[in-house]
Amino acid sequence: MSEPLRHPRRYLGRAQTLSERVRTYWTDEALEVDRADNYEIRRRRVFFDEILLVTLHSTRGVLVSILPLFLALFFVIMALALRDEPDASRVFWLLAAFFVASAVGAALAPVWVVTVYGKRTRARMHFRMRQRKAREVYAEIAQAAADAQRALALRLAAEIPKPPLPPIPPEVPPLPLSDSDPPSL
């Protein structure tokens, strides 16, 4: 027996939170969403003919700036602890300034988010400072969903039997012109 042909997946994008990592792949008939929670990976599919909504919006990367802020706070504490040594203190003040600047830059950088809502699941992808890539993925998914739903509607319309035409009624005799004329047959 021959194995069925497996179509390759194409990587589209990812979304990360503090507790999970989500990767989205393109296949011939659906978007595959791999969600990794700790050590468990769950795969879901959003079929193109079941897509209800595709959205594109931008947000700011505030959560990404938390780690550099904590590192800056750590270096400020180290600089204050080493006040007696001016050279070492200056190095820690410079490191703190660097991490504050990187935290501000990360918080102000735009993050473009593409979200695909299906009947049972959703796929989301984040594109940090890549508006063109986000718009390309959005347009590609919207076009594939429209094509798949159009093909499904045509296939369903061809399967629905057309009702038979009603029978043609017999000729109705003309009405008399006045009440005195007898009806003619």
Side-chain angles (χ1 to χ4, degrees):
M1 279 210 263
S2 66
E3 287 187 28
L5 291 175
R6 180 165 168 85
H7 298 287
R9 301 186 316 165
R10 182 171 50 102
Y11 175 73
L12 284 181
R14 67 184 172 100
Q16 284 185 254
T17 63
L18 293 175
S19 63
E20 70 178 356
R21 291 174 312 280
V22 179
R23 292 177 155 260
T24 304
Y25 298 92
W26 179 285
T27 63
D28 290 338
E29 57 193 27
L31 296 175
E32 286 187 353
V33 181
D34 290 347
R35 180 167 301 166
D37 296 324
N38 297 324
Y39 297 106
E40 183 178 330
I41 297 175
R42 283 184 255 140
R43 178 170 291 161
R44 300 275 178 130
R45 288 189 178 97
V46 181
F47 290 97
F48 292 125
D49 56 353
E50 294 181 354
I51 289 178
L52 302 173
L53 178 68
V54 182
T55 63
L56 170 68
H57 71 277
S58 72
T59 185
R60 300 286 177 204
V62 176
L63 287 178
V64 176
S65 65
I66 292 175
L67 179 63
L69 281 178
F70 279 123
L71 287 173
L73 179 65
F74 172 73
F75 287 127
V76 166
I77 292 171
M78 292 297 293
L80 292 175
L82 294 173
R83 272 186 281 197
D84 299 338
E85 310 239 353
D87 292 336
S89 178
R90 188 176 310 126
V91 169
F92 285 114
W93 280 113
L94 289 173
L95 285 171
F98 170 75
F99 281 110
V100 166
S102 65
V104 168
L108 295 178
V111 177
W112 292 89
V113 181
V114 176
T115 309
V116 180
Y117 295 93
K119 289 183 179 178
R120 293 174 289 280
T121 188
R122 73 176 175 158
R124 68 181 185 274
M125 293 149 278
H126 295 183
F127 300 95
R128 179 172 299 283
M129 295 178 35
R130 295 188 299 161
Q131 180 180 4
R132 182 186 303 163
K133 176 70 174 170
R135 289 187 183 277
E136 288 172 1
V137 167
Y138 169 78
E140 188 177 16
I141 292 171
Q143 183 65 43
D147 292 344
Q149 291 174 6
R150 191 176 304 112
L152 178 65
L154 289 174
R155 190 171 61 237
L156 289 176
E159 290 176 1
I160 295 175
K162 295 188 172 124
L165 294 174
I168 299 174
E171 271 301 311
V172 178
L175 293 174
L177 296 175
S178 69
D179 291 338
S180 62
D181 294 338
S184 61
L185 294 175

